[in-house]
Amino acid sequence: MAVSTEIQAPRSGRIAPEYKRHGRSKGNFEMFAWLFMRLSGVVLVVLIFGHLFVNLMVGEGVHAIDFGFVGGKWADPFWQVWDLAMLWLAMLHGTNGVRTIINDYAEKDGTRMTLKTVLYLASAVVIVLGTLVIFTFDPCPAGAAADLLPSFCRA
Amino acid sequence: MTAQNTEPVEPASKVELAPGIGGGGEIPSYDVTLRVRRYNPEVSDEGHWDEFKLTMYGTDRVLDALHKAKWEHDGSLSFRRSCAHGVCGSDAMRINGRNRLACKTLLKDLDTSKPITVEAIKGLPVEKDLIVDMEPFFQSYREIMPFLISSGHEPTRERLQSAEDRERFDDTTKCILCAACTSSCPVFWTDGQYFGPAAIVNAHRFIFDSRDDAGDMRLEILNDKEGVWRCRTTFNCTEACPRGIQVTKAIAEVKQAVLNRKI
Ligand code: HEM
Ligand code: SF4
Ligand code: FES
């Protein structure tokens, strides 16, 4: 049996195909994604800890939280903007973070595509629903049955 | 100019040796078990572990144990080494789960009461036993153009550089291309697409060299989706580097340089 004893010279350009990079990526997407994680992280520290402080510590603290408390906050444009910023930044930050994790752990392009599609759909649903709720929330909708409404609506 | 030459004359020997000891004193010996990950594609697609029981000395390194195993027990054991003194970068391997140079790892620094495990570095195709295919690693290295590129006229004498300018990239000149860093990186393990720490270290070497004019080109190459932005700052590379290069710091500096150029 003829066994080939030929050893290819280094720099022969012979590279295991799974290691070949196909072309170069264009644009600065990954750079901006990296930057966004850091900037949104800084803003989220303020937003999240401000949120936790106001909800859990100020006044009666956690015991004050009920339907009326949330309704009250969303009647105030300040908290509407605060919560909207928190929602969008946390969602985009979290989504990008999970995108990175998928890229890091999925070994096949097909797996990557599938997982990322599910991720983007889920994020889109949460962002759209959350935004709608923040802006259209009405604690006392007109024409609702009286026994379903909180007590302050009758005032 | 006043004479500054006040250094004392060096003594013939810096170490005072008692008479009769010519440097060959009794070196303690002990038994170690070397567990080596074996792989031979001509015999089986599966790797397996082999154990070698060896009597070694206090001054021996893992490389000496590998030599002893190969020379006295099993000549088919395959590994790369050349200089045996931490210069050539041939013998990076996973020793007790950490990427180390076998020639720079003293047995006495390991726990010799337990078997010492030795495997090929991860993330590159194993060819035989401890030998991996380094070609993908060197391909990324070549892509960042690891050579001086200058525009303008060829100078008629040496390209001078101030000590401060040289200091800027001193750390990254120390790389010996052993691949300990790249093969310790979990991002590289995933699919081998990431350029990897070693390529970025060697790009850093030229990007921050005041004599080089192709820094922008290298930054552009590393602003790829498989470039610096894949780094997750896990510090595995810094921990693995046998030359003590601050690899993660060098990567961060390249990231910063890409940002500064774009924004
Ligand atoms: C409290 C303020 C926060 C700060 C300062 C912060 C900061 C960061 C930074 C800098 C990264 C990038 C890490 C890297 O590139 O290696 C990151 C990643 C990530 N963040 Fe945040 N973040 C915060 C809140 C959040 C929140 C609220 C979520 C969830 C919605 C989240 C989810 C993630 C995920 C999933 C990753 C990816 C993990 C990784 O890359 O290892 N973070 N965070
Ligand atoms: S940076 Fe250090 S670990 Fe990486 S290839 Fe160079 S010498 Fe080896
Ligand atoms: S054999 Fe040269 S670095 Fe270890």
Side-chain angles (χ1 to χ4, degrees):
Chain A
M1 196 178 72
V3 174
S4 167
T5 51
E6 189 180 314
I7 296 171
Q8 272 169 312
R11 298 176 173 257
S12 58
R14 158 202 61 87
I15 285 204
E18 64 271 26
Y19 286 86
K20 279 221 171 84
R21 270 186 291 275
H22 293 287
R24 306 195 12 78
S25 64
K26 286 183 194 69
N28 301 314
F29 180 77
E30 293 297 336
M31 181 187 80
F32 285 117
W34 184 91
L35 198 59
F36 173 75
M37 287 309 267
R38 270 128 260 267
L39 296 179
S40 61
V42 171
V43 181
L44 277 168
V45 169
V46 178
L47 291 177
I48 291 174
F49 285 97
H51 168 84
L52 291 175
F53 181 71
V54 169
N55 281 18
L56 307 180
M57 319 268 288
V58 173
E60 278 178 71
V62 67
H63 304 292
I65 295 188
D66 57 9
F67 188 86
F69 180 87
V70 178
K73 266 181 102 180
W74 280 342
D76 183 346
F78 176 81
W79 288 113
Q80 279 188 328
V81 172
W82 185 290
D83 283 3
L84 186 78
M86 202 161 63
L87 172 76
W88 277 71
L89 287 180
M91 283 309 295
L92 293 178
H93 177 102
T95 304
N96 188 238
V98 177
R99 179 187 74 93
T100 312
I101 293 173
I102 293 172
N103 281 342
D104 283 357
Y105 284 91
E107 294 179 12
K108 295 198 207 91
D109 281 347
T111 323
R112 281 201 181 117
M113 274 286 282
T114 316
L115 289 174
K116 283 197 259 187
T117 310
V118 173
L119 172 70
Y120 296 152
L121 282 175
S123 307
V125 168
V126 174
I127 291 177
V128 169
L129 268 184
T131 308
L132 268 175
V133 168
I134 291 174
F135 284 122
T136 60
F137 184 72
D138 180 357
C140 311
D147 57 336
L148 290 178
L149 291 173
S151 53
F152 59 79
C153 290
R154 269 168 261 139
Chain B
M1 226 178 21
T2 51
Q4 292 273 314
N5 218 347
T6 51
E7 264 182 57
V9 181
E10 280 200 35
S13 168
K14 293 191 187 181
V15 187
E16 291 298 327
L17 290 177
I21 303 179
E26 199 61 31
I27 300 167
S29 75
Y30 44 80
D31 292 334
V32 299
T33 308
L34 199 65
R35 286 190 83 216
V36 187
R37 185 74 187 167
R38 305 294 302 270
Y39 170 72
N40 183 352
E42 288 171 8
V43 175
S44 165
D45 287 340
E46 292 291 315
H48 66 276
W49 293 95
D50 262 358
E51 292 204 354
F52 300 96
K53 299 232 184 309
L54 310 163
T55 302
M56 303 304 300
Y57 294 92
T59 47
D60 282 338
R61 306 150 299 168
V62 172
L63 181 64
D64 299 303
L66 285 168
H67 278 155
K68 195 160 197 167
K70 183 175 176 70
W71 294 339
E72 295 174 15
H73 295 269
D74 182 352
S76 72
L77 177 62
S78 308
F79 53 91
R80 285 195 185 100
R81 74 104 173 83
S82 181
C83 69
H85 290 83
V87 181
C88 70
S90 306
D91 61 343
M93 47 190 79
R94 251 161 94 84
I95 298 169
N96 282 352
R98 286 159 189 270
N99 281 4
R100 294 285 182 265
L101 294 179
C103 65
K104 277 186 82 172
T105 309
L106 286 168
L107 289 171
K108 73 174 177 62
D109 293 340
L110 302 171
D111 179 0
T112 45
S113 67
K114 286 192 247 149
I116 295 164
T117 63
V118 179
E119 305 156 75
I121 45 177
K122 272 178 79 155
L124 290 162
V126 182
E127 294 190 324
K128 187 172 184 227
D129 295 346
L130 304 176
I131 298 178
V132 298
D133 177 6
M134 297 278 282
E135 211 48 32
F137 171 81
F138 284 121
Q139 181 57 35
S140 294
Y141 172 62
R142 275 176 226 127
E143 274 173 51
I144 55 93
M145 304 186 292
F147 36 80
L148 185 91
I149 303 174
S150 72
S151 50
H153 292 295
E154 199 78 350
T156 51
R157 50 184 203 126
E158 192 182 347
R159 293 168 202 267
L160 293 179
Q161 184 170 49
S162 71
E164 296 77 54
D165 283 347
R166 177 61 177 69
E167 182 58 32
R168 181 67 193 85
F169 62 94
D170 184 66
D171 202 32
T172 46
T173 62
K174 297 173 188 160
C175 177
I176 55 174
L177 295 170
C178 64
C181 54
T182 296
S183 64
S184 74
C185 176
V187 175
F188 184 76
W189 294 338
T190 306
D191 57 5
Q193 295 289 301
Y194 176 35
F195 272 79
I200 300 171
V201 159
N202 286 281
H204 181 286
R205 150 77 186 79
F206 288 98
I207 290 166
F208 293 98
D209 186 337
S210 61
R211 298 164 297 186
D212 188 273
D213 295 318
D216 281 355
M217 277 161 77
R218 297 193 184 87
L219 292 175
E220 196 50 55
I221 290 167
L222 290 174
N223 185 22
D224 188 270
K225 80 174 172 38
E226 304 297 348
V228 286
W229 309 118
R230 284 212 78 177
C231 166
R232 310 240 64 70
T233 326
T234 60
F235 282 91
N236 280 21
C237 47
T238 302
E239 211 273 326
C241 180
R243 308 289 314 208
I245 298 171
Q246 298 296 307
V247 181
T248 312
K249 182 171 174 229
I251 298 175
E253 287 174 358
V254 174
K255 283 176 185 165
Q256 198 62 52
V258 177
L259 277 175
N260 289 346
R261 200 169 80 88
K262 296 278 179 187
I263 296 174

